């Protein structure tokens, strides 16, 4: 459906780029990339630049760029996302470390090495091996706390990845809207040129004063400026999109997608129930679970650990049965330090995590409510522009053009009708783009597409 024609099928209620902004596909692609450890593996068709490369090459950056390719390029090459992935790997190492057993300790003693006594029992050597045995489930509690810390970092990664996907979709939308904006400007330039030609003929025929031709040429100059501005904006948007995956010179010529399609907006209550899918909500939950696991660990640390040691002692060579066995056990006595302070701190951090979880839920609900109400307003604006304003503006311009050619309307009426049509076409395009951004925002908050299979 062309924006130049500015036509819409009757009964259409919502406009949305069908294959463009379905975050279900992009989120699924992102999840697959993450599951395959995208930090270590490449995307088919993409050649990673090495440190000695002079020019970065992105073969997957096609001339006709789709949103799916743009998301894949960004997820593969964006350094901000890669940094989060490195942190997850680091926390995985800490999880492994938390589950390891303490190393045994070997001890060697040589007593009275400088003694001048001739007694064969005055000198002896001892070798001991001691092992610490953790009690109270410390190792399992420590491992669980570390694992929950890793899961919390994974939700941070998912949240940043979701934000990055939404950012790609929005910049992609800017490029797509910029392309349509340039088409509108070129159509306006063409209309302005036709008005100049018509005014020139009327002046030459003596039917209009020369000032009409001057006014028409001023309007044409304004239209030329609009085209130049639209071209510069489009170049800027294309570069912003390419920079998301580290390309300074975009290889694609244009993006493919539609601004107009149909989607059903669910009720706000239904969307609010899906906020729990948001990685930020999941992260706050994991943070609470981790704090509870750390509290369990601090409780386990109140129980003293046991150290068992065993070894042998060898006396002088002149003693019969000069070797004897050594066995020992040591247990700290919890008379003063029973880990009271750490328990208080862990409990307060649980309370803080509960407050943070409630604050996160409120923040997500507030953002969703704001985006939802704006979405409803944008839907109403698009409907009014499509059904009332644009048809009237097109008909007014058609009648003014025909009337001007026949000498029934003056130049000012024609110029005003042309300006009104162009302004409303631009407003309609802006309304569509704004609507798509609101759709992206809602889907970012619920971490999925608005429409679900029922």
């Amino acid at each position: 459906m062309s924006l130049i024609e500015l036509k819409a099928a009757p009964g259409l209620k919502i406009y949305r780029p069908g294959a463009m902004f379905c975050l279900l596909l992009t989120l699924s692609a992102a999840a697959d990339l993450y599951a395959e450890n995208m930090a270590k593996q490449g995307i088919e068709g993409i050649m990673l630049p090495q440190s000695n490369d002079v020019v970065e090459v992105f073969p997957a950056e096609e001339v006709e760029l789709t949103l799916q390719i743009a998301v894949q390029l960004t997820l593969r090459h964006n350094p901000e996302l890669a940094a989060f992935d490195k942190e997850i790997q680091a926390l995985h190492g800490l999880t492994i470390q938390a589950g390891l057993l303490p190393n045994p300790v070997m001890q060697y003693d040589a007593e009275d090495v400088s003694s001048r006594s001739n007694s064969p029992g005055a000198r002896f050597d001892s070798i001991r091996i001691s092992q610490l045995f953790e009690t109270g489930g410390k190792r399992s509690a420590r491992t669980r706390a570390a694992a929950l810390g890793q899961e919390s970092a994974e939700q941070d990664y998912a949240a940043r990845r979701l934000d990055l996907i939404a950012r790609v979709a929005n910049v992609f939308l800017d490029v797509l809207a910029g392309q349509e904006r340039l088409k509108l400007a070129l159509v306006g330039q063409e209309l302005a040129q036709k008005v100049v030609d018509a005014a020139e003929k009327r002046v030459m025929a003596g039917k209009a004063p020369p000032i009409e031709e001057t006014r028409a040429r001023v309007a044409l100059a304004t239209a030329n400026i609009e085209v130049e501005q639209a071209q510069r904006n489009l170049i800027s948007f294309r570069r912003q999109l390419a920079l998301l995956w580290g390309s300074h010179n975009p290889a694609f010529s244009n993006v493919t997608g539609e601004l107009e399609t149909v989607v059903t907006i669910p009720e706000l209550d239904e969307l609010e129930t899906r906020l729990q899918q948001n990685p930020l909500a999941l992260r706050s939950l994991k943070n609470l679970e981790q704090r509870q696991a750390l509290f369990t660990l601090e409780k386990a640390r109140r129980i003293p650990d046991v150290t068992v040691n065993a070894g042998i002692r060898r006396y002088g060579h002149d003693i019969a049965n000069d070797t004897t066995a050594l066995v020992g056990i040591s247990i700290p006595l919890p008379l003063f330090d029973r880990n009271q302070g750490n328990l208080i701190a862990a409990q307060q951090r649980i309370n803080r995590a509960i407050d943070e979880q409630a604050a996160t839920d409120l923040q997500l609900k507030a953002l969703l409510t704001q985006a939802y109400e704006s979405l409803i307003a944008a839907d109403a604006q698009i409907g009014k522009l499509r059904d009332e304003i644009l048809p009237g503006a097109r008909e007014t311009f058609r009648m003014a053009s025909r009337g001007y050619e026949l000498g029934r309307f003056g130049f000012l009426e024609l110029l005003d009708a042309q300006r009104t049509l162009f302004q409303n076409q631009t407003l309609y395009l802006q309304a569509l783009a704004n609507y798509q951004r609101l759709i992206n925002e809602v889907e970012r908050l619920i971490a999925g597409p608005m429409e679900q299979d029922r």
Side-chain angles (χ1 to χ4, degrees), residues 17 36 48 52 56-57 94 98-99 153 157 162 183 216-217 227 241 276 336 355 377 382 399 429 437 439:
E36 297 174 2
L48 289 178
N52 56 350
E56 292 180 316
V57 181
L94 294 180
Y157 177 92
L162 186 62
K183 291 178 183 179
R217 294 191 180 280
V227 171
L241 181 60
Q276 298 305 317
F336 308 108
D355 293 338
I382 290 173
M399 295 177 61
L429 177 59
R437 292 188 184 92
I439 287 286

Side-chain angles (χ1 to χ4, degrees), residues 188-321:
Q189 184 184 49
E190 182 180 355
L191 291 176
Q193 183 62 55
K194 289 180 179 180
V195 171
V196 169
D197 295 340
E200 188 178 36
K201 291 179 181 179
R202 285 175 57 84
V203 170
M204 292 181 62
K207 297 180 180 179
I211 192 173
E212 286 194 6
E213 182 179 354
T214 302
R215 290 173 175 171
R217 294 191 180 280
V218 170
L220 177 61
T222 302
N224 292 336
I225 293 176
E226 292 285 346
V227 171
E228 293 175 1
Q229 184 64 42
Q231 290 173 340
R232 287 194 296 268
N233 290 341
L234 181 57
I235 292 173
S236 175
F237 291 143
R238 289 176 65 248
R239 288 179 176 174
Q240 291 178 40
L241 181 60
L243 283 174
L244 289 175
W245 58 79
S247 175
H248 298 279
N249 296 310
F252 63 92
S253 60
N254 62 286
V255 300
T256 58
E258 296 181 2
L259 284 175
E260 297 173 307
T261 189
V262 180
V263 71
T264 302
I265 302 179
E267 295 294 332
L268 180 59
D269 293 341
E270 179 183 346
L271 294 176
E272 286 183 348
T273 60
R274 297 167 59 186
L275 282 176
Q276 298 305 317
Q277 303 173 5
N278 189 286
L280 292 178
L282 296 176
R283 183 195 180 281
S284 64
L285 179 61
K286 289 298 179 182
N287 182 55
L288 176 58
E289 293 178 358
Q290 184 191 22
R291 294 302 178 185
Q292 292 171 341
L294 289 173
F295 180 76
T296 302
L297 176 60
E298 296 300 337
K299 287 198 302 182
R301 284 174 175 167
R302 296 182 304 174
I303 304 174
D305 296 330
V306 178
T307 302
V308 177
N309 62 79
I312 59 174
R313 175 173 294 174
R314 184 178 182 183
Y315 296 93
H317 297 286
D318 298 333
I319 300 177
N321 299 324

Side-chain angles (χ1 to χ4, degrees), residues 109 120 123-127 312-317 319 321-324 326:
D109 296 323
R123 298 177 59 182
F124 59 84
D125 299 325
S126 301
I127 296 179
I312 59 174
R313 175 173 294 174
R314 184 178 182 183
Y315 296 93
H317 297 286
I319 300 177
N321 299 324
D322 60 347
T323 302
T324 183
L326 301 174

Side-chain angles (χ1 to χ4, degrees), residues 3 18 88 114 152 163 170 191-192 221 308 314 336 360 374 400 445:
L3 283 172
I88 292 176
S114 62
S152 179
D163 290 342
N170 285 332
L191 291 176
V308 177
R314 184 178 182 183
F336 308 108
T360 299
S374 299
L445 292 171

Side-chain angles (χ1 to χ4, degrees), residues 88-100 139 142-151:
I88 292 176
Q89 297 177 33
L91 290 174
H92 177 64
L94 294 180
T95 302
I96 295 175
Q97 185 65 34
L100 299 179
R139 186 164 66 94
R142 186 172 60 246
T143 302
R144 173 167 171 74
L148 289 171
Q150 180 183 350
E151 293 177 8

